[in-house]
Amino acid sequence: MRCPFCGSDDTQVKDSRPTEDKAAIRRRRSCPNCGARFTTFERVQLRELTIVKKTGARQPFDRDKLARSIYIALRKRPVEPDRIERVINGIVRRLESAGESEIPSDMVGQYVMEALSQLDPVAYVRFASVYRNFREAKDFEDFVGRLGADPD
């Protein structure tokens, strides 16, 4: 593991333990070159996933990008970080178990929309505004109106 501070390839693991949800290994590392300490996480990856964008462009799946978008939608909302991590892990598992190595970006967006609709209605609307590319206030009004009309 390369040191994020000085770039040295020679880092040492000082402590390893599973995360609370047992989905990853947390490793405390130190760099003998500069003395810096940092943490890494090791997760199981079932397969290499590639996201196929609407334009046809392909890029490797990035769990951190998925997590960032969910955390942005949930900013300042009363949702525990453990629940958010469980949602992210669930989406990643669904993608990995889909049986395909190339996943359309629409599928990822749909999984996030489903998860946020169950987790927090405000985050759901926030994410939908970006995902569905709302351009004016009427778009919000129509979307929220459909939410209020849903029988569930």
Side-chain angles (χ1 to χ4, degrees), residues 38-54:
F38 58 99
T39 302
T40 59
F41 291 89
E42 181 180 315
R43 298 181 190 282
V44 172
Q45 183 175 340
L46 297 177
R47 66 178 59 183
E48 287 289 324
L49 296 176
T50 301
I51 302 300
V52 181
K53 301 286 196 169
K54 291 175 187 172

PDB file of all heavy atoms in Angstrom, residues 38-54:
ATOM      1  N   PHE A  38      -2.289   6.196   8.726  1.00  0.00           N
ATOM      2  CA  PHE A  38      -3.532   6.305   7.964  1.00  0.00           C
ATOM      3  C   PHE A  38      -4.286   4.986   8.041  1.00  0.00           C
ATOM      4  O   PHE A  38      -3.753   3.970   8.499  1.00  0.00           O
ATOM      5  CB  PHE A  38      -3.260   6.724   6.511  1.00  0.00           C
ATOM      6  CG  PHE A  38      -2.354   5.805   5.741  1.00  0.00           C
ATOM      7  CD1 PHE A  38      -2.869   4.855   4.880  1.00  0.00           C
ATOM      8  CD2 PHE A  38      -0.966   5.910   5.864  1.00  0.00           C
ATOM      9  CE1 PHE A  38      -2.023   4.016   4.158  1.00  0.00           C
ATOM     10  CE2 PHE A  38      -0.113   5.076   5.150  1.00  0.00           C
ATOM     11  CZ  PHE A  38      -0.646   4.128   4.297  1.00  0.00           C
ATOM     12  N   THR A  39      -5.541   5.023   7.621  1.00  0.00           N
ATOM     13  CA  THR A  39      -6.420   3.858   7.686  1.00  0.00           C
ATOM     14  C   THR A  39      -6.821   3.442   6.284  1.00  0.00           C
ATOM     15  O   THR A  39      -7.119   4.293   5.445  1.00  0.00           O
ATOM     16  CB  THR A  39      -7.690   4.198   8.496  1.00  0.00           C
ATOM     17  OG1 THR A  39      -7.302   4.621   9.801  1.00  0.00           O
ATOM     18  CG2 THR A  39      -8.615   3.001   8.606  1.00  0.00           C
ATOM     19  N   THR A  40      -6.856   2.130   6.041  1.00  0.00           N
ATOM     20  CA  THR A  40      -7.373   1.604   4.783  1.00  0.00           C
ATOM     21  C   THR A  40      -8.481   0.607   5.107  1.00  0.00           C
ATOM     22  O   THR A  40      -8.549   0.086   6.223  1.00  0.00           O
ATOM     23  CB  THR A  40      -6.277   0.901   3.953  1.00  0.00           C
ATOM     24  OG1 THR A  40      -5.730  -0.178   4.705  1.00  0.00           O
ATOM     25  CG2 THR A  40      -5.181   1.873   3.556  1.00  0.00           C
ATOM     26  N   PHE A  41      -9.338   0.356   4.119  1.00  0.00           N
ATOM     27  CA  PHE A  41     -10.405  -0.621   4.264  1.00  0.00           C
ATOM     28  C   PHE A  41     -10.290  -1.626   3.142  1.00  0.00           C
ATOM     29  O   PHE A  41     -10.066  -1.262   1.990  1.00  0.00           O
ATOM     30  CB  PHE A  41     -11.779   0.064   4.214  1.00  0.00           C
ATOM     31  CG  PHE A  41     -12.047   0.917   5.411  1.00  0.00           C
ATOM     32  CD1 PHE A  41     -11.671   2.247   5.431  1.00  0.00           C
ATOM     33  CD2 PHE A  41     -12.661   0.388   6.531  1.00  0.00           C
ATOM     34  CE1 PHE A  41     -11.902   3.044   6.527  1.00  0.00           C
ATOM     35  CE2 PHE A  41     -12.902   1.176   7.638  1.00  0.00           C
ATOM     36  CZ  PHE A  41     -12.522   2.502   7.645  1.00  0.00           C
ATOM     37  N   GLU A  42     -10.458  -2.890   3.483  1.00  0.00           N
ATOM     38  CA  GLU A  42     -10.399  -3.963   2.501  1.00  0.00           C
ATOM     39  C   GLU A  42     -11.772  -4.603   2.438  1.00  0.00           C
ATOM     40  O   GLU A  42     -12.326  -5.006   3.452  1.00  0.00           O
ATOM     41  CB  GLU A  42      -9.356  -4.988   2.956  1.00  0.00           C
ATOM     42  CG  GLU A  42      -9.166  -6.149   2.043  1.00  0.00           C
ATOM     43  CD  GLU A  42      -8.108  -7.105   2.579  1.00  0.00           C
ATOM     44  OE1 GLU A  42      -7.051  -6.640   3.025  1.00  0.00           O
ATOM     45  OE2 GLU A  42      -8.373  -8.317   2.567  1.00  0.00           O
ATOM     46  N   ARG A  43     -12.364  -4.665   1.227  1.00  0.00           N
ATOM     47  CA  ARG A  43     -13.699  -5.235   1.034  1.00  0.00           C
ATOM     48  C   ARG A  43     -13.627  -6.376   0.033  1.00  0.00           C
ATOM     49  O   ARG A  43     -12.789  -6.377  -0.860  1.00  0.00           O
ATOM     50  CB  ARG A  43     -14.663  -4.191   0.482  1.00  0.00           C
ATOM     51  CG  ARG A  43     -14.872  -3.022   1.369  1.00  0.00           C
ATOM     52  CD  ARG A  43     -15.871  -2.041   0.768  1.00  0.00           C
ATOM     53  NE  ARG A  43     -15.888  -0.818   1.519  1.00  0.00           N
ATOM     54  CZ  ARG A  43     -16.512  -0.650   2.684  1.00  0.00           C
ATOM     55  NH1 ARG A  43     -17.172  -1.659   3.206  1.00  0.00           N
ATOM     56  NH2 ARG A  43     -16.464   0.487   3.318  1.00  0.00           N
ATOM     57  N   VAL A  44     -14.580  -7.284   0.132  1.00  0.00           N
ATOM     58  CA  VAL A  44     -14.697  -8.372  -0.821  1.00  0.00           C
ATOM     59  C   VAL A  44     -15.285  -7.813  -2.115  1.00  0.00           C
ATOM     60  O   VAL A  44     -16.248  -7.055  -2.088  1.00  0.00           O
ATOM     61  CB  VAL A  44     -15.614  -9.491  -0.284  1.00  0.00           C
ATOM     62  CG1 VAL A  44     -15.886 -10.530  -1.361  1.00  0.00           C
ATOM     63  CG2 VAL A  44     -15.002 -10.130   0.930  1.00  0.00           C
ATOM     64  N   GLN A  45     -14.684  -8.181  -3.218  1.00  0.00           N
ATOM     65  CA  GLN A  45     -15.200  -7.779  -4.520  1.00  0.00           C
ATOM     66  C   GLN A  45     -15.467  -9.042  -5.307  1.00  0.00           C
ATOM     67  O   GLN A  45     -14.541  -9.798  -5.614  1.00  0.00           O
ATOM     68  CB  GLN A  45     -14.188  -6.897  -5.238  1.00  0.00           C
ATOM     69  CG  GLN A  45     -14.689  -6.378  -6.562  1.00  0.00           C
ATOM     70  CD  GLN A  45     -13.706  -5.402  -7.180  1.00  0.00           C
ATOM     71  OE1 GLN A  45     -12.857  -4.839  -6.510  1.00  0.00           O
ATOM     72  NE2 GLN A  45     -13.816  -5.224  -8.469  1.00  0.00           N
ATOM     73  N   LEU A  46     -16.739  -9.300  -5.612  1.00  0.00           N
ATOM     74  CA  LEU A  46     -17.100 -10.531  -6.288  1.00  0.00           C
ATOM     75  C   LEU A  46     -16.679 -10.545  -7.754  1.00  0.00           C
ATOM     76  O   LEU A  46     -16.310 -11.571  -8.279  1.00  0.00           O
ATOM     77  CB  LEU A  46     -18.607 -10.773  -6.181  1.00  0.00           C
ATOM     78  CG  LEU A  46     -19.137 -10.968  -4.764  1.00  0.00           C
ATOM     79  CD1 LEU A  46     -20.653 -11.132  -4.780  1.00  0.00           C
ATOM     80  CD2 LEU A  46     -18.470 -12.160  -4.103  1.00  0.00           C
ATOM     81  N   ARG A  47     -16.770  -9.385  -8.396  1.00  0.00           N
ATOM     82  CA  ARG A  47     -16.373  -9.304  -9.808  1.00  0.00           C
ATOM     83  C   ARG A  47     -16.058  -7.865 -10.170  1.00  0.00           C
ATOM     84  O   ARG A  47     -16.485  -6.959  -9.488  1.00  0.00           O
ATOM     85  CB  ARG A  47     -17.463  -9.844 -10.717  1.00  0.00           C
ATOM     86  CG  ARG A  47     -18.725  -9.018 -10.695  1.00  0.00           C
ATOM     87  CD  ARG A  47     -19.770  -9.526 -11.616  1.00  0.00           C
ATOM     88  NE  ARG A  47     -20.070 -10.872 -11.214  1.00  0.00           N
ATOM     89  CZ  ARG A  47     -20.902 -11.666 -11.809  1.00  0.00           C
ATOM     90  NH1 ARG A  47     -21.545 -11.253 -12.850  1.00  0.00           N
ATOM     91  NH2 ARG A  47     -21.129 -12.879 -11.411  1.00  0.00           N
ATOM     92  N   GLU A  48     -15.332  -7.698 -11.246  1.00  0.00           N
ATOM     93  CA  GLU A  48     -15.042  -6.361 -11.766  1.00  0.00           C
ATOM     94  C   GLU A  48     -16.292  -5.864 -12.482  1.00  0.00           C
ATOM     95  O   GLU A  48     -16.784  -6.504 -13.403  1.00  0.00           O
ATOM     96  CB  GLU A  48     -13.883  -6.410 -12.758  1.00  0.00           C
ATOM     97  CG  GLU A  48     -12.531  -6.627 -12.132  1.00  0.00           C
ATOM     98  CD  GLU A  48     -12.047  -5.416 -11.368  1.00  0.00           C
ATOM     99  OE1 GLU A  48     -12.313  -4.278 -11.801  1.00  0.00           O
ATOM    100  OE2 GLU A  48     -11.405  -5.615 -10.331  1.00  0.00           O
ATOM    101  N   LEU A  49     -16.814  -4.740 -12.058  1.00  0.00           N
ATOM    102  CA  LEU A  49     -17.999  -4.178 -12.687  1.00  0.00           C
ATOM    103  C   LEU A  49     -17.616  -2.970 -13.531  1.00  0.00           C
ATOM    104  O   LEU A  49     -16.757  -2.185 -13.141  1.00  0.00           O
ATOM    105  CB  LEU A  49     -19.010  -3.742 -11.629  1.00  0.00           C
ATOM    106  CG  LEU A  49     -19.598  -4.841 -10.756  1.00  0.00           C
ATOM    107  CD1 LEU A  49     -20.506  -4.241  -9.694  1.00  0.00           C
ATOM    108  CD2 LEU A  49     -20.357  -5.843 -11.598  1.00  0.00           C
ATOM    109  N   THR A  50     -18.278  -2.842 -14.662  1.00  0.00           N
ATOM    110  CA  THR A  50     -18.098  -1.703 -15.542  1.00  0.00           C
ATOM    111  C   THR A  50     -19.459  -1.039 -15.715  1.00  0.00           C
ATOM    112  O   THR A  50     -20.450  -1.715 -15.985  1.00  0.00           O
ATOM    113  CB  THR A  50     -17.561  -2.144 -16.921  1.00  0.00           C
ATOM    114  OG1 THR A  50     -16.315  -2.823 -16.718  1.00  0.00           O
ATOM    115  CG2 THR A  50     -17.360  -0.963 -17.848  1.00  0.00           C
ATOM    116  N   ILE A  51     -19.488   0.267 -15.548  1.00  0.00           N
ATOM    117  CA  ILE A  51     -20.724   1.024 -15.724  1.00  0.00           C
ATOM    118  C   ILE A  51     -20.781   1.520 -17.160  1.00  0.00           C
ATOM    119  O   ILE A  51     -19.828   2.119 -17.657  1.00  0.00           O
ATOM    120  CB  ILE A  51     -20.793   2.213 -14.742  1.00  0.00           C
ATOM    121  CG1 ILE A  51     -20.699   1.720 -13.300  1.00  0.00           C
ATOM    122  CG2 ILE A  51     -22.060   3.032 -14.968  1.00  0.00           C
ATOM    123  CD1 ILE A  51     -21.786   0.774 -12.874  1.00  0.00           C
ATOM    124  N   VAL A  52     -21.903   1.268 -17.826  1.00  0.00           N
ATOM    125  CA  VAL A  52     -22.109   1.725 -19.191  1.00  0.00           C
ATOM    126  C   VAL A  52     -23.023   2.947 -19.120  1.00  0.00           C
ATOM    127  O   VAL A  52     -24.182   2.855 -18.723  1.00  0.00           O
ATOM    128  CB  VAL A  52     -22.745   0.630 -20.071  1.00  0.00           C
ATOM    129  CG1 VAL A  52     -22.935   1.134 -21.498  1.00  0.00           C
ATOM    130  CG2 VAL A  52     -21.900  -0.634 -20.042  1.00  0.00           C
ATOM    131  N   LYS A  53     -22.467   4.109 -19.464  1.00  0.00           N
ATOM    132  CA  LYS A  53     -23.204   5.370 -19.416  1.00  0.00           C
ATOM    133  C   LYS A  53     -24.211   5.446 -20.568  1.00  0.00           C
ATOM    134  O   LYS A  53     -24.126   4.676 -21.522  1.00  0.00           O
ATOM    135  CB  LYS A  53     -22.229   6.559 -19.528  1.00  0.00           C
ATOM    136  CG  LYS A  53     -21.183   6.599 -18.445  1.00  0.00           C
ATOM    137  CD  LYS A  53     -21.826   7.027 -17.174  1.00  0.00           C
ATOM    138  CE  LYS A  53     -20.769   7.460 -16.178  1.00  0.00           C
ATOM    139  NZ  LYS A  53     -21.343   8.119 -15.041  1.00  0.00           N
ATOM    140  N   LYS A  54     -25.119   6.400 -20.495  1.00  0.00           N
ATOM    141  CA  LYS A  54     -26.122   6.592 -21.551  1.00  0.00           C
ATOM    142  C   LYS A  54     -25.465   6.918 -22.883  1.00  0.00           C
ATOM    143  O   LYS A  54     -26.002   6.606 -23.946  1.00  0.00           O
ATOM    144  CB  LYS A  54     -27.091   7.709 -21.164  1.00  0.00           C
ATOM    145  CG  LYS A  54     -27.983   7.346 -20.008  1.00  0.00           C
ATOM    146  CD  LYS A  54     -28.835   8.522 -19.578  1.00  0.00           C
ATOM    147  CE  LYS A  54     -29.580   8.159 -18.310  1.00  0.00           C
ATOM    148  NZ  LYS A  54     -30.283   9.294 -17.729  1.00  0.00           N
TER     149      LYS A  54
END
